[in-house]
Amino acid sequence: MKKLLAAIAAIMLTFLSMGVAHAETKSGPRNVGIKGVWVGTNHGFGNGVFTIQDVRWTIEKVNGVTFTGVKSYREAQTVEWSAPEPFMGIMYKNGEFHAVDTDGVLIGKRTSPNKIRASYLKAAGDNQDALVMKVTKASR
């Protein structure tokens, strides 16, 4: 009888562990390969003046389809990178990309495993931007 109960318990534990593993694999799709540094350019109008700038995104944490990191751009006068600004977003399995920073919104698409094209829109008081960005994965 003890052997039968032990066998039933062992079978139940096996099925329970399989259920846990199955539940873990059924969680939301993962953003494989987006963590790291992305660099590129943006161009468009900022406060009515046409501009072209280098941009850098550093995606630091990924959880499911969501991510967080910092972004910066190259200052035109000093050629130095701006102070990092936090941003966070969502990248769906189909490549759709949505993110926000402290005062604007990024909307775009991952066009390949190493490329993202996005639009940046900002309307913060007297400061407006409408920019197009193309970034390429530079590192992990």
Side-chain angles (χ1 to χ4, degrees):
M1 182 70 159
K2 287 183 182 180
K3 289 182 182 181
L4 178 62
L5 288 174
I8 291 172
I11 292 170
M12 289 178 63
L13 284 174
T14 301
F15 283 117
L16 181 61
S17 65
M18 287 171 50
V20 169
H22 182 70
E24 288 174 5
T25 58
K26 286 197 72 119
S27 64
R30 298 276 179 217
N31 276 318
V32 177
I34 69 165
K35 192 173 181 181
V37 177
W38 297 73
V39 294
T41 58
N42 68 24
H43 66 277
F45 286 91
N47 293 324
V49 177
F50 185 78
T51 183
I52 298 175
Q53 292 177 307
D54 293 333
V55 294
R56 178 174 60 197
W57 301 347
T58 304
I59 297 177
E60 299 167 331
K61 295 179 186 176
V62 176
N63 189 347
V65 297
T66 62
F67 64 87
T68 186
V70 295
K71 66 184 197 69
S72 55
Y73 58 91
R74 197 173 299 274
E75 301 278 358
Q77 290 81 9
T78 65
V79 193
E80 298 293 323
W81 288 103
S82 67
E85 178 181 11
F87 84 119
M88 59 197 73
I90 301 164
M91 185 172 307
Y92 294 103
K93 191 175 182 177
N94 67 2
E96 285 184 43
F97 173 83
H98 306 276
V100 295
D101 61 18
T102 58
D103 53 5
V105 176
L106 291 133
I107 302 167
K109 185 155 181 97
R110 188 174 184 182
T111 58
S112 78
N114 297 322
K115 295 181 190 257
I116 297 172
R117 183 178 174 111
S119 299
Y120 179 71
L121 303 170
K122 174 171 72 172
D126 292 336
N127 192 0
Q128 296 88 31
D129 290 337
L131 305 166
V132 174
M133 299 181 179
K134 292 180 184 177
V135 294
T136 302
K137 181 89 179 279
S139 74
R140 293 184 167 220

